[in-house]
Amino acid sequence: MILTIRDARPDELVEVGRVVSEAYVADGALSYDDPHYRTLERAPLEASGSQFIIAELDGRLVGSVTWCPPGSSQREIALPDEGEFRQLGVLPDSRGFGIARQLVEACLGRAKDIGLSAVVISSAPWMTTAHALYEDLGFVALPERDWSPRPEVELTTFRHDLS
């Protein structure tokens, strides 16, 4: 088994959107007819200033995370001195190999490389496996920054201090 973490090429962005959308569907977070499914699927094609970090397992794209440094159109909650990542997803048949951890660690490394003070992420209550990963990596919940993009969606904010 060979795992590679790297930036997506422009010709892979459609596949990146599909992988993340499929990962969310597999978790029961979305259905194929949910409008947010199409939003996730199109996000890599419409974002500016974001970087799409992918995981390949034996040459097959199996996971992705959207890294949102300052200037990214995808930033939702990051302060000017913080980085943010979004849309972390790994296909179900490729889970359990530490892929999500390596994708998050890639974001933390990029934040350190450009001198940011912290990295933040918004996460839904049902994403308990992700919450455990974030906490294991040193993220802490920041209830004062929790928010809701839509009335039916409550998001928890986690922050990893890099100082």
Side-chain angles (χ1 to χ4, degrees):
M1 176 178 78
I2 299 171
L3 177 63
T4 304
I5 305 294
R6 64 172 178 81
D7 286 345
R9 297 183 310 264
D11 65 317
E12 294 173 312
L13 294 180
V14 169
E15 182 69 4
V16 168
R18 187 197 65 75
V19 164
V20 172
S21 298
E22 290 296 322
Y24 278 51
V25 167
D27 288 337
L30 291 177
S31 62
Y32 291 108
D33 60 347
D34 185 322
H36 193 58
Y37 179 92
R38 296 289 170 235
T39 300
L40 274 177
E41 193 175 49
R42 287 190 315 267
L45 298 172
E46 297 174 356
S48 65
S50 298
Q51 299 164 8
F52 300 92
I53 306 169
I54 64 169
E56 282 183 327
L57 191 58
D58 294 331
R60 178 178 155 242
L61 197 159
V62 297
S64 177
V65 66
T66 304
W67 167 239
C68 306
S72 165
S73 66
Q74 294 274 303
R75 289 166 65 95
E76 293 179 319
I77 61 167
L79 300 175
D81 64 333
E82 296 174 332
E84 181 173 348
F85 67 89
R86 301 187 55 212
Q87 302 158 348
L88 172 65
V90 177
L91 293 175
D93 66 351
S94 300
R95 294 178 183 170
F97 299 109
I99 294 170
R101 174 179 292 275
Q102 289 191 43
L103 289 168
V104 173
E105 287 173 343
C107 293
L108 294 174
R110 288 176 190 221
K112 287 177 189 173
D113 289 347
I114 61 173
L116 297 175
S117 68
V119 174
V120 292
I121 177 66
S122 297
S123 189
W126 60 268
M127 297 177 168
T128 55
T129 302
H131 298 180
L133 170 63
Y134 303 150
E135 290 169 3
D136 190 52
L137 287 168
F139 284 79
V140 294
L142 290 181
E144 67 274 14
R145 287 177 64 183
D146 291 354
W147 66 291
S148 180
R150 300 186 307 268
E152 71 279 9
V153 178
E154 298 285 331
L155 298 176
T156 300
T157 298
F158 291 89
R159 184 176 190 270
H160 185 289
D161 189 344
L162 297 170
S163 56

